[in-house]
Amino acid sequence: DKRELGTLVHSVLERFVVEMGPEAPDEDNRQRLQQILNDIVEDEFAQFEERGLAGAPVLWKVTQQELIGDLFAWLDHEIDNPRPDAEHHVEVSFGMEVRRHGTGWAPIDPDSLSVLQPLELTVVNPPVRISGMIDRLDADIRGTGYSLMDYKTGSGKKMKDGSLAKGQALQLPLYLLGGQFILGRPTEGGRAEYINFSRRNGFKSIV
């Protein structure tokens, strides 16, 4: 099931982003990060199998190798294209009382950046209330910049830079406003992007 595989990848990324610490990935910490990723992959994939989600063993072996290859290639890509040192947060929500947890849902962690209040768009009357869940939110340690990332495990063929799809693809602009709402930082220093999570597509970033 593609949805279950997407959830598996998100679970690995969520744990890794938190455990890697604020220092930007680089050549000096490559070995440490590879070990962290390897440990998380082994644990998450084992749980996936225990829940009976892996399917036929022969097909799962091929799929597993493909996913692991993508995950470690992604780490190499992060190291080769470093981001600013930042505080990393995952599954950050606004206007929601639950969050994704494994294959289900769990209450919002009270110690996270998530806020229960929805984002209000006052440019229309009456105001529109928006809720959302951000895969990854990086708050720059130096300055007021921030980055929001949404990992896409599908093909991503229809995504284009700056495209709002005639008003139907407003996720990234709303994420920018969500980041401002949560962090209290100006949107001018924000960046929101889709990450096409695939070696074949070079982990293309769509902004």
Side-chain angles (χ1 to χ4, degrees):
D1 187 298
K2 290 183 178 181
R3 183 176 299 179
E4 298 292 355
L5 292 175
T7 299
L8 173 60
V9 170
H10 276 80
S11 296
V12 172
L13 293 174
E14 177 182 342
R15 288 181 56 182
F16 177 80
V17 168
V18 171
E19 293 184 29
M20 74 176 179
E23 185 179 357
D26 59 25
E27 197 59 46
D28 292 337
N29 57 22
R30 181 188 294 270
Q31 188 171 355
R32 177 181 70 84
L33 295 177
Q34 286 176 333
Q35 186 60 55
I36 291 174
L37 181 57
N38 184 72
D39 291 345
I40 294 172
V41 164
E42 288 185 353
D43 183 49
E44 290 291 337
F45 278 54
Q47 292 184 49
F48 191 79
E49 293 175 5
E50 289 171 5
R51 293 197 297 269
L53 300 174
V58 175
L59 294 177
W60 169 237
K61 184 176 181 179
V62 174
T63 300
Q64 184 176 216
Q65 290 175 342
E66 181 74 15
L67 292 178
I68 291 174
D70 278 346
L71 285 162
F72 279 91
W74 167 78
L75 176 55
D76 289 337
H77 183 269
E78 288 284 295
I79 291 172
D80 295 337
N81 301 273
R83 301 174 182 274
D85 291 348
E87 294 178 354
H88 306 295
H89 306 274
V90 295
E91 299 295 314
V92 180
S93 65
F94 47 95
M96 299 178 67
E97 296 183 355
V98 294
R99 65 181 177 86
R100 288 190 297 263
H101 182 70
T103 57
W105 297 85
I108 294 296
D109 182 353
D111 295 325
S112 73
L113 279 181
S114 297
V115 294
L116 295 177
Q117 297 88 350
L119 171 66
E120 280 201 356
L121 300 182
T122 58
V123 293
V124 293
N125 189 21
V128 176
R129 293 185 173 185
I130 305 292
S131 61
M133 176 80 70
I134 301 167
D135 285 347
R136 174 177 170 183
L137 171 56
D138 286 1
D140 295 358
I141 292 177
R142 303 173 186 84
T144 59
Y146 63 95
S147 299
L148 306 103
M149 283 148 273
D150 188 74
Y151 294 106
K152 300 295 186 183
T153 54
S155 65
K157 292 180 180 178
K158 297 181 180 180
M159 296 187 294
K160 297 179 180 180
D161 280 342
S163 173
L164 297 181
K166 297 181 180 179
Q168 297 179 32
L170 296 172
Q171 183 179 7
L172 293 185
L174 289 174
Y175 271 15
L176 276 178
L177 292 174
Q180 179 189 49
F181 180 54
I182 292 167
L183 296 172
R185 298 186 176 189
T187 55
E188 289 78 8
R191 174 185 173 89
E193 60 187 308
Y194 297 122
I195 304 295
N196 191 344
F197 200 85
S198 168
R199 281 173 292 171
R200 296 173 184 174
N201 293 312
F203 304 102
K204 184 179 180 181
S205 171
I206 310 294
V207 297

